[in-house]
Amino acid sequence: MTERQREDAVLAELESLRKRLHQIVDQRTDQLFLIILLGDRMASLPEGEVLCPFARDPAAFKGMRPTAIILPDGAQAAASTWREAATVILRHCAGDPLRREKLMALRDNVSGNFRCLISASPDGMRLPLEISRELYVEGKFDTEALLRNLTEKLLIPAGYNYRRILLQCRAPQQELCETADVTSVPEETPDRGPAMML
């Protein structure tokens, strides 16, 4: 093996380590969110479903499908698609008069990638989500873009505390296997960090 090949192998191992460490950090952070938000009210979930904080990176939801939403006030609503989930969350946000006023002020002033993101009319939208009378949101995005637009361009400007939302999701089998592997992390030795083979 040449020096260049050894370096390439080390770089590949480092990138793999980075991915595993991110998975561990994400999983432990999600667990802390759940403990804080649910405490001793944690309930068992149907086989193949997981409970996730909505505040996680939207990219983490790719490949997952929502089944239910637990809103900040503890109310639970069914949602089988990400568009339904976004609609439920935005309707809850608009249910507060102050937040509704802020959402109404955003109409025709906030854009998605190519079109107006929030408007008083569904005209010009490819897949309008009706939140309430004279309040429509564009829903024609992939999962990550939809959730990122929802949080960054609508919920945060409206002052809505989305960090208290939990999502019950059906995780793909691959995701379940990766999560299972992450929970069995070997312990570090006290005098050294984790061993790494090169």
Side-chain angles (χ1 to χ4, degrees):
M1 183 181 275
T2 68
E3 183 65 28
R4 176 80 175 205
Q5 290 171 325
R6 278 194 294 277
E7 286 177 356
D8 288 345
V10 169
L11 293 174
E13 181 64 27
L14 285 173
E15 191 57 41
S16 176
L17 176 63
R18 178 201 316 259
K19 184 177 180 183
R20 289 193 310 267
L21 288 173
H22 279 286
Q23 288 174 335
I24 292 167
V25 170
D26 288 344
Q27 181 191 28
R28 299 289 157 80
T29 304
D30 286 353
Q31 288 171 347
L32 289 173
F33 261 92
L34 296 177
I35 289 168
I36 290 168
L37 294 175
L38 293 176
D40 58 357
R41 296 177 297 143
M42 299 267 280
S44 61
L45 297 172
E47 182 77 25
E49 293 193 6
V50 294
L51 200 57
C52 307
F54 178 68
R56 73 188 336 201
D57 180 14
F61 290 111
K62 283 186 175 182
M64 301 176 99
R65 294 192 63 81
T67 57
I69 301 167
I70 301 172
L71 296 162
D73 61 5
Q76 189 167 339
S80 60
T81 67
W82 289 112
R83 289 181 186 105
E84 286 178 13
T87 302
V88 167
I89 293 167
L90 283 166
R91 285 181 179 163
H92 189 263
C93 177
D96 176 291
L98 178 62
R99 309 281 172 258
R100 179 178 172 73
E101 186 179 316
K102 289 182 178 183
L103 286 174
M104 296 299 254
L106 294 174
R107 293 179 306 176
D108 302 315
N109 292 316
V110 178
S111 295
N113 297 344
F114 305 106
R115 292 172 295 284
C116 186
L117 182 62
I118 184 169
S119 181
S121 163
D123 298 342
M125 292 187 175
R126 292 195 54 203
L127 210 148
L129 306 176
E130 185 176 4
I131 307 310
S132 67
R133 194 165 112 335
E134 297 184 3
L135 188 59
Y136 294 86
V137 171
E138 176 63 71
K140 184 70 173 164
F141 298 103
D142 66 17
T143 301
E144 182 179 358
L146 178 67
L147 299 179
R148 195 171 305 283
N149 283 332
L150 176 63
T151 54
E152 294 176 5
K153 295 182 178 181
L154 300 175
L155 298 178
I156 291 172
Y160 183 78
N161 189 0
Y162 68 91
R163 286 182 178 80
R164 300 192 74 78
I165 296 173
L166 295 173
L167 297 173
Q168 186 173 321
C169 299
R170 179 163 301 284
Q173 288 299 341
Q174 177 185 353
E175 183 72 23
L176 290 175
C177 294
E178 289 175 4
T179 302
D181 292 343
V182 170
T183 57
S184 59
V185 177
E187 293 289 321
E188 291 183 8
T189 56
D191 56 335
R192 294 178 295 164
M196 183 169 84
M197 295 181 61
L198 299 178

